[in-house]
Amino acid sequence: MTAAVNFLPDTPQKIQETPKAAETKENQAVETAAEPRESKTTETRESKTPESRENRSISTLELAAKDVRMVLDQQRERSQTLTTKLNILFVTNGALLTSLIISRLLFFLSPFSIAEILGFLLNFTLLISAFLPRQVAISPNLEDKKFLERYLVLSPEEYQLQMLVNLAETYNANRQRLEDVSLSLKYSAFVTWGIAIILLMHVVASYFVQMS
């Protein structure tokens, strides 16, 4: 009887230890099964990341090229506008000079006629300066014989980057040319306005001289 009493307390301990061990094994099995899934997900994300970055960079380059070409189109429109202003100023000065010749006011020496002659000389100088052709930058430069060797070996992304750089340099070069033309036309417009005022004063003064 004594031996039976000594062994009874150990039996529940063994029974309690068995579920804990089972739970531990189940947890280890779950963790082992979860690890491959997590590694697969990580690998999938890592494999997709470079492709998505490359797609984003290509789309950004396409948008940048579109914007740059749009700015260059606006620059061409500005050039056409300046050409129209140049033609208008040429016609206006020609009309003023014709009216002076017909009225014969230019042939009589006076302060007005001297101012008008100097004004026309200055004005036509400005207009001819704006009319003279200037070197226009073009990209890509097809006159360069190494153009094909230099650009065809590039990847599509590198080629688009190089074209963006060339277009930006083209815009800056042509912008300076348009600024020079615009400045000449601005001064010519002021001189034309001054000639018109002097011509009006000359006509009024000659009218009062004849009346007296």
Side-chain angles (χ1 to χ4, degrees), residues 75 134 171-182:
Q75 191 179 61
R134 290 172 172 82
Y171 172 81
N172 291 327
N174 292 332
R175 182 180 61 84
Q176 185 61 41
R177 178 182 64 87
L178 292 179
E179 290 295 332
D180 295 339
V181 174
S182 178

Side-chain angles (χ1 to χ4, degrees), residues 109-126:
L109 187 61
S110 65
F112 293 107
S113 61
I114 294 174
E116 289 163 354
I117 292 172
L118 294 176
F120 279 118
L121 288 175
L122 177 60
N123 208 0
F124 280 111
T125 301
L126 291 172

Side-chain angles (χ1 to χ4, degrees), residues 96 123 188-198:
L96 292 174
N123 208 0
S188 177
F190 289 135
V191 175
T192 303
W193 178 250
I195 292 173
I197 292 176
I198 294 172

Side-chain angles (χ1 to χ4, degrees), residues 11-67:
T11 305
Q13 292 179 358
K14 291 181 181 180
I15 295 172
Q16 291 177 358
E17 287 177 358
T18 303
K20 290 182 180 180
E23 290 179 358
T24 305
K25 291 180 179 180
E26 290 179 357
N27 292 332
Q28 291 177 354
V30 171
E31 291 177 356
T32 305
E35 286 179 357
R37 294 180 181 177
E38 292 179 355
S39 61
K40 289 181 180 179
T41 306
T42 306
E43 291 177 357
T44 306
R45 290 177 181 174
E46 290 178 354
S47 61
K48 290 183 179 179
T49 301
E51 294 179 357
S52 61
R53 288 179 180 176
E54 185 177 358
N55 293 331
R56 284 199 299 269
S57 63
I58 293 174
S59 62
T60 303
L61 285 174
E62 291 176 352
L63 291 174
K66 182 179 178 181
D67 292 337

Side-chain angles (χ1 to χ4, degrees), residues 83-98:
T83 303
T84 303
K85 292 179 179 180
L86 176 63
N87 295 331
I88 291 173
L89 287 172
F90 261 120
V91 172
T92 303
N93 281 274
L96 292 174
L97 182 59
T98 302

Side-chain angles (χ1 to χ4, degrees), residues 101-114:
I101 294 173
I102 292 174
S103 63
R104 296 181 181 275
L105 294 176
L106 195 63
F107 299 106
F108 297 99
L109 187 61
S110 65
F112 293 107
S113 61
I114 294 174

Side-chain angles (χ1 to χ4, degrees), residues 146-161:
K146 295 183 179 180
F147 169 74
L148 296 177
E149 299 177 0
R150 187 182 306 166
Y151 288 97
L152 292 183
V153 296
L154 300 176
S155 64
E157 185 175 357
E158 292 175 347
Y159 178 81
Q160 288 183 346
L161 283 172

